[in-house]
Short mmCIF file of all heavy atoms in Angstrom, two decimals:
data_model
loop_
_atom_site.label_atom_id
_atom_site.label_comp_id
_atom_site.label_asym_id
_atom_site.label_seq_id
_atom_site.Cartn_x
_atom_site.Cartn_y
_atom_site.Cartn_z
N VAL A 48 11.63 -29.25 -12.34
CA VAL A 48 10.94 -28.79 -11.14
C VAL A 48 9.50 -29.29 -11.15
O VAL A 48 8.86 -29.41 -12.20
CB VAL A 48 10.97 -27.25 -11.00
CG1 VAL A 48 12.35 -26.75 -10.74
CG2 VAL A 48 10.34 -26.58 -12.19
N LYS A 49 8.99 -29.59 -9.97
CA LYS A 49 7.63 -30.09 -9.83
C LYS A 49 6.67 -28.93 -9.59
O LYS A 49 6.95 -28.04 -8.78
CB LYS A 49 7.56 -31.07 -8.65
CG LYS A 49 6.18 -31.63 -8.41
CD LYS A 49 6.18 -32.55 -7.21
CE LYS A 49 4.76 -33.00 -6.92
NZ LYS A 49 4.70 -33.72 -5.65
N LEU A 50 5.56 -28.94 -10.29
CA LEU A 50 4.50 -27.97 -10.06
C LEU A 50 3.67 -28.47 -8.89
O LEU A 50 3.00 -29.49 -8.98
CB LEU A 50 3.64 -27.81 -11.31
CG LEU A 50 2.42 -26.90 -11.19
CD1 LEU A 50 2.84 -25.47 -10.86
CD2 LEU A 50 1.62 -26.92 -12.48
N ARG A 51 3.72 -27.75 -7.77
CA ARG A 51 3.02 -28.19 -6.56
C ARG A 51 1.57 -27.72 -6.54
O ARG A 51 0.67 -28.49 -6.24
CB ARG A 51 3.71 -27.67 -5.31
CG ARG A 51 5.06 -28.27 -5.06
CD ARG A 51 5.71 -27.56 -3.88
NE ARG A 51 6.95 -28.18 -3.52
CZ ARG A 51 7.10 -28.99 -2.47
NH1 ARG A 51 6.08 -29.26 -1.71
NH2 ARG A 51 8.27 -29.51 -2.22
N GLU A 52 1.39 -26.42 -6.80
CA GLU A 52 0.04 -25.84 -6.69
C GLU A 52 -0.09 -24.67 -7.66
O GLU A 52 0.91 -24.11 -8.11
CB GLU A 52 -0.20 -25.32 -5.28
CG GLU A 52 -0.13 -26.37 -4.19
CD GLU A 52 -0.27 -25.78 -2.80
OE1 GLU A 52 -1.10 -24.87 -2.61
OE2 GLU A 52 0.47 -26.23 -1.91
N ILE A 53 -1.35 -24.30 -7.94
CA ILE A 53 -1.65 -23.12 -8.74
C ILE A 53 -2.67 -22.31 -7.96
O ILE A 53 -3.69 -22.84 -7.52
CB ILE A 53 -2.24 -23.50 -10.12
CG1 ILE A 53 -1.27 -24.36 -10.90
CG2 ILE A 53 -2.61 -22.25 -10.90
CD1 ILE A 53 -1.85 -24.92 -12.19
N TYR A 54 -2.39 -21.03 -7.78
CA TYR A 54 -3.32 -20.13 -7.11
C TYR A 54 -3.82 -19.09 -8.11
O TYR A 54 -3.06 -18.60 -8.93
CB TYR A 54 -2.65 -19.39 -5.94
CG TYR A 54 -2.44 -20.27 -4.74
CD1 TYR A 54 -1.19 -20.80 -4.47
CD2 TYR A 54 -3.48 -20.57 -3.89
CE1 TYR A 54 -0.98 -21.61 -3.36
CE2 TYR A 54 -3.29 -21.39 -2.79
CZ TYR A 54 -2.03 -21.89 -2.53
OH TYR A 54 -1.84 -22.70 -1.45
N ILE A 55 -5.11 -18.79 -8.00
CA ILE A 55 -5.70 -17.74 -8.83
C ILE A 55 -6.42 -16.75 -7.92
O ILE A 55 -6.63 -17.00 -6.74
CB ILE A 55 -6.68 -18.31 -9.88
CG1 ILE A 55 -7.84 -19.05 -9.21
CG2 ILE A 55 -5.96 -19.23 -10.84
CD1 ILE A 55 -8.93 -19.47 -10.15
N SER A 56 -6.83 -15.65 -8.50
CA SER A 56 -7.56 -14.62 -7.77
C SER A 56 -8.89 -15.19 -7.26
O SER A 56 -9.47 -16.09 -7.86
CB SER A 56 -7.80 -13.44 -8.71
OG SER A 56 -8.92 -12.73 -8.36
N ASP A 57 -9.38 -14.65 -6.15
CA ASP A 57 -10.66 -15.10 -5.59
C ASP A 57 -11.84 -14.70 -6.47
O ASP A 57 -12.86 -15.36 -6.48
CB ASP A 57 -10.87 -14.53 -4.19
CG ASP A 57 -9.93 -15.15 -3.19
OD1 ASP A 57 -9.46 -16.28 -3.42
OD2 ASP A 57 -9.67 -14.52 -2.15
N SER A 58 -11.69 -13.62 -7.19
CA SER A 58 -12.79 -13.10 -8.00
C SER A 58 -12.59 -13.48 -9.47
O SER A 58 -11.57 -13.15 -10.08
CB SER A 58 -12.87 -11.58 -7.87
OG SER A 58 -13.78 -11.07 -8.81
N PHE A 59 -13.56 -14.15 -10.04
CA PHE A 59 -13.48 -14.52 -11.45
C PHE A 59 -13.50 -13.29 -12.35
O PHE A 59 -12.90 -13.28 -13.42
CB PHE A 59 -14.63 -15.47 -11.82
CG PHE A 59 -14.48 -16.08 -13.17
CD1 PHE A 59 -13.52 -17.06 -13.41
CD2 PHE A 59 -15.28 -15.68 -14.21
CE1 PHE A 59 -13.37 -17.63 -14.65
CE2 PHE A 59 -15.14 -16.25 -15.47
CZ PHE A 59 -14.19 -17.22 -15.69
N ASP A 60 -14.16 -12.22 -11.90
CA ASP A 60 -14.26 -10.98 -12.69
C ASP A 60 -12.91 -10.28 -12.82
O ASP A 60 -12.63 -9.64 -13.83
CB ASP A 60 -15.27 -10.02 -12.08
CG ASP A 60 -16.68 -10.58 -12.09
OD1 ASP A 60 -16.99 -11.37 -13.01
OD2 ASP A 60 -17.47 -10.24 -11.19
N THR A 61 -12.06 -10.40 -11.82
CA THR A 61 -10.76 -9.72 -11.84
C THR A 61 -9.61 -10.69 -12.09
O THR A 61 -8.45 -10.30 -12.01
CB THR A 61 -10.51 -8.98 -10.51
OG1 THR A 61 -10.51 -9.95 -9.44
CG2 THR A 61 -11.55 -7.93 -10.26
N PHE A 62 -9.91 -11.92 -12.42
CA PHE A 62 -8.90 -12.95 -12.64
C PHE A 62 -8.04 -12.59 -13.85
O PHE A 62 -8.50 -12.60 -14.98
CB PHE A 62 -9.59 -14.30 -12.84
CG PHE A 62 -8.70 -15.39 -13.33
CD1 PHE A 62 -7.59 -15.78 -12.59
CD2 PHE A 62 -8.97 -16.05 -14.50
CE1 PHE A 62 -6.77 -16.81 -13.03
CE2 PHE A 62 -8.16 -17.07 -14.95
CZ PHE A 62 -7.06 -17.45 -14.21
N ASN A 63 -6.79 -12.21 -13.60
CA ASN A 63 -5.87 -11.88 -14.68
C ASN A 63 -4.43 -12.24 -14.34
O ASN A 63 -3.52 -11.85 -15.04
CB ASN A 63 -5.98 -10.40 -15.05
CG ASN A 63 -5.40 -10.12 -16.42
OD1 ASN A 63 -5.36 -10.98 -17.28
ND2 ASN A 63 -4.91 -8.91 -16.61
N GLU A 64 -4.23 -12.96 -13.23
CA GLU A 64 -2.89 -13.39 -12.88
C GLU A 64 -2.95 -14.73 -12.16
O GLU A 64 -3.94 -15.07 -11.54
CB GLU A 64 -2.16 -12.35 -12.03
CG GLU A 64 -2.81 -12.03 -10.71
CD GLU A 64 -2.12 -10.88 -10.00
OE1 GLU A 64 -1.48 -10.05 -10.65
OE2 GLU A 64 -2.24 -10.84 -8.78
N LEU A 65 -1.85 -15.46 -12.30
CA LEU A 65 -1.71 -16.77 -11.68
C LEU A 65 -0.44 -16.80 -10.86
O LEU A 65 0.52 -16.09 -11.15
CB LEU A 65 -1.59 -17.86 -12.75
CG LEU A 65 -2.81 -18.20 -13.58
CD1 LEU A 65 -2.41 -19.17 -14.68
CD2 LEU A 65 -3.90 -18.79 -12.73
N TYR A 66 -0.44 -17.67 -9.87
CA TYR A 66 0.75 -17.92 -9.07
C TYR A 66 1.02 -19.42 -9.13
O TYR A 66 0.17 -20.22 -8.73
CB TYR A 66 0.55 -17.50 -7.62
CG TYR A 66 0.33 -16.02 -7.45
CD1 TYR A 66 -0.94 -15.46 -7.53
CD2 TYR A 66 1.41 -15.17 -7.23
CE1 TYR A 66 -1.14 -14.10 -7.39
CE2 TYR A 66 1.23 -13.81 -7.09
CZ TYR A 66 -0.05 -13.29 -7.16
OH TYR A 66 -0.24 -11.94 -7.03
N LEU A 67 2.18 -19.79 -9.65
CA LEU A 67 2.58 -21.19 -9.70
C LEU A 67 3.53 -21.46 -8.55
O LEU A 67 4.52 -20.74 -8.37
CB LEU A 67 3.29 -21.51 -11.02
CG LEU A 67 2.53 -21.28 -12.30
CD1 LEU A 67 3.38 -21.69 -13.49
CD2 LEU A 67 1.22 -22.03 -12.30
#
Side-chain angles (χ1 to χ4, degrees):
V48 293
K49 179 182 175 189
L50 176 61
R51 292 174 175 257
E52 299 175 40
I53 301 173
Y54 286 102
I55 61 172
S56 153
D57 290 336
S58 170
F59 190 72
D60 296 330
T61 61
F62 169 59
N63 198 27
E64 61 187 24
L65 290 172
Y66 296 88
L67 301 181

